[in-house]
Amino acid sequence: MKIIIADDEKLIRSTLRSMLQELELKNLPCQLIGEARNGEELLELLRKDTPDLVFVDIKMPKLDGIEAIRIGKTLAPQASWVILSGFMEFDYAQQALRLGASDYLLKPAEPEQLERCVREAMEGRERDTQFLDYEFEHWLSNRYREFQTGTGTQPLDPAYEGYCFFGVLFYGVHRSKPSASRLNDLALTIQQAAQKHALAKGIRCGHLQLSEDNLTSVWAWPTSGAGSNDEVHQALQRQIMMALGQGRHGEMLFFPVTVLPSENCLSVRELLGQLEELHAASTLRATLPLNKLYPLAELRAETSREDVAALGRSIHQLIGLYQDRDYVGYLNKLSAFGKQHLPGLQGDPVRFERITVFLREAICPALQVELPPAEWIEALQHQGDLLLIQEGKGAAAASGDLVKRAMDYVDEHYQEDISIGSLAEELQVTPNYLSSLFHKKQGITFVKYVTSIRMLKAKELLLTEPDAKVQDVAQRVGYFSSRHFTKLFVDYYGCYPSEIRKKLGDT
């Protein structure tokens, strides 16, 4: 959080500076970007940089605090303003509050009071960011729908003219069955880290889902910002790499994903065209490295090769047959793959290793690069044989009340990462069958049922434990991202988690 102190008393500035440094030791990100001795110096600082929080004295030489706030709000409209006033200056403080100041402190300020102001400013900034990102995501979804259907009659990006756009497509690998919430957690981790970057002032982020196993993150930032488009782009890529575990001895912090980034685009129409191109080429992802960014230019070179495109489609179809539990179709496709593609892969060790790693994550955990071709195919055939065993167990399970068992499981494990795929595996039936049966008997989708249980549990915790923090409640009901939890809570109850007690009290 960027902070400016404006006060004509050196001792007051020094005291506040020391207290802010103490707050940094409490893991509150306080960055003092300037100090001003009067209102004119404050305005000069505001023209050079945009703070998140300004402490301003009411009575200063050259330009008093009231006028400094009035003019300063035009230079830093998103900043929070806190008044520093003496005991006899309450009338001035009231004027400042009417101008939009969020709080006031009586001098000399106590450390606890300063910390409260900083925390409230941080919470306010997070709420503003959430709202602006939600607004951008809504706008982006509408533009994408218009782009797909061709129904847009106006230029696609008037609301964000002068912005640069950058998108990243994330695809989960099948066997690990990453739910939408896990992909969302990955994207939100990157988003939150990116928005703290010094070059990210004014950056917006929204998400699209192009297919069941995809989550696409889109960033947009004003081209007139502090950093060049390439600098912001590179900063975002670094945040993505860090979240994926790259640069930290290669450890995997989330789960196996394919990452396909766009180029910088100066219009949303250009960006949406690239997203469609990347999504169409995603069938090649079995031939690409996992948990690394694969540039669009290199992907275009891959898609131009018919042998590589055919190889990617073949593996994509093979995995689809396995997921659909089509035993005969799977074995036939595997046999054809062994004859058509495996011999050529022996001469391309890099691509062969990528495919082996992908299939190991997607289908067969026993698959190894070192296996001879015959044993490599045999391992995948054995994995297919397990389908028959699972189907046999699934038939027995189907005679029971699957929906009740599913609901009981959710009631007991709502704190965990639950997906229709993982639950179907637990109940030994196919995901499509369980999903269809659940919807038919309950009248709602499985995902909505899980959300409803978690929201009821969250409401119970918020009402029975008044001191519980929102982030803690989110984690206790199965959400690692407090932001994702808050968005769902607002959609479900029509208010923020912190407001639920007051809302119920009013009614």
Side-chain angles (χ1 to χ4, degrees), residues 122-137:
M122 289 179 63
E123 291 172 1
R125 185 185 65 173
E126 289 175 2
R127 286 195 298 270
D128 291 343
T129 299
Q130 287 180 8
F131 174 77
L132 292 171
D133 282 348
Y134 179 79
E135 186 178 59
F136 173 70
E137 183 170 291

Side-chain angles (χ1 to χ4, degrees), residues 173-176 256 258 283 285-288 290 311-323 330 333-334 337-338 341-342 345 351-369 376-377 379-381 383:
V173 180
H174 301 263
R175 184 172 59 86
S176 58
T258 302
T283 55
R285 59 185 184 269
T287 69
L288 306 177
L290 290 172
L311 174 63
R313 288 193 299 269
S314 182
I315 298 173
H316 189 71
Q317 292 164 3
L318 181 71
I319 294 172
L321 291 166
Y322 178 82
Q323 290 297 308
Y330 172 78
K333 191 66 183 178
L334 180 60
F337 179 85
H341 300 292
L342 192 57
L345 286 173
R351 199 179 304 277
F352 179 66
E353 181 177 2
R354 290 176 180 176
I355 290 171
T356 301
V357 171
F358 193 91
L359 287 174
R360 183 166 64 229
E361 295 292 342
I363 295 178
C364 181
L367 203 60
Q368 300 294 329
V369 176
W376 195 87
I377 291 292
L380 289 167
Q381 287 174 337
Q383 195 69 31

Side-chain angles (χ1 to χ4, degrees), residues 289-483:
L290 290 172
N291 288 57
K292 292 184 179 180
L293 282 79
Y294 204 80
L296 177 58
E298 294 182 26
L299 189 62
R300 283 170 174 161
E302 294 284 274
T303 55
S304 66
R305 292 181 52 183
E306 180 53 37
D307 58 332
V308 176
L311 174 63
R313 288 193 299 269
S314 182
I315 298 173
H316 189 71
Q317 292 164 3
L318 181 71
I319 294 172
L321 291 166
Y322 178 82
Q323 290 297 308
D324 290 340
R325 297 179 178 268
D326 184 345
Y327 176 73
V328 175
Y330 172 78
L331 289 187
N332 287 338
K333 191 66 183 178
L334 180 60
S335 176
F337 179 85
K339 294 175 183 177
Q340 296 173 8
H341 300 292
L342 192 57
L345 286 173
Q346 300 306 303
D348 191 346
V350 173
R351 199 179 304 277
F352 179 66
E353 181 177 2
R354 290 176 180 176
I355 290 171
T356 301
V357 171
F358 193 91
L359 287 174
R360 183 166 64 229
E361 295 292 342
I363 295 178
C364 181
L367 203 60
Q368 300 294 329
V369 176
E370 298 80 11
L371 291 175
E375 294 182 23
W376 195 87
I377 291 292
E378 185 179 327
L380 289 167
Q381 287 174 337
H382 176 70
Q383 195 69 31
D385 293 339
L386 296 178
L387 289 176
L388 293 180
I389 299 173
Q390 293 169 1
E391 286 295 339
K393 293 179 179 178
S399 61
D401 190 352
L402 279 176
V403 172
K404 184 178 184 305
R405 291 172 63 195
M407 294 171 68
D408 289 344
Y409 185 91
V410 172
D411 290 346
E412 186 175 348
H413 299 275
Y414 64 89
Q415 309 98 323
E416 303 171 11
D417 185 21
I418 304 174
S419 70
I420 192 70
S422 61
L423 181 54
E425 186 173 356
E426 177 75 20
L427 300 178
Q428 298 177 343
V429 294
T430 65
N432 287 341
Y433 174 72
L434 179 59
S435 177
S436 176
L437 185 64
F438 193 97
H439 192 210
K440 180 179 179 181
K441 291 202 170 188
Q442 294 302 117
I444 61 171
T445 65
F446 175 78
V447 172
K448 286 185 177 179
Y449 178 77
V450 173
T451 301
S452 69
I453 293 298
R454 286 173 168 171
M455 292 300 105
L456 289 172
K457 295 292 184 181
K459 179 181 175 182
E460 178 183 341
L461 290 171
L462 289 166
L463 293 177
T464 58
E465 299 182 21
D467 296 328
K469 296 181 179 180
V470 172
Q471 183 176 0
D472 294 338
V473 171
Q475 292 179 354
R476 288 168 67 182
V477 298
Y479 297 104
F480 292 104
S481 166
S482 58
R483 174 177 175 168

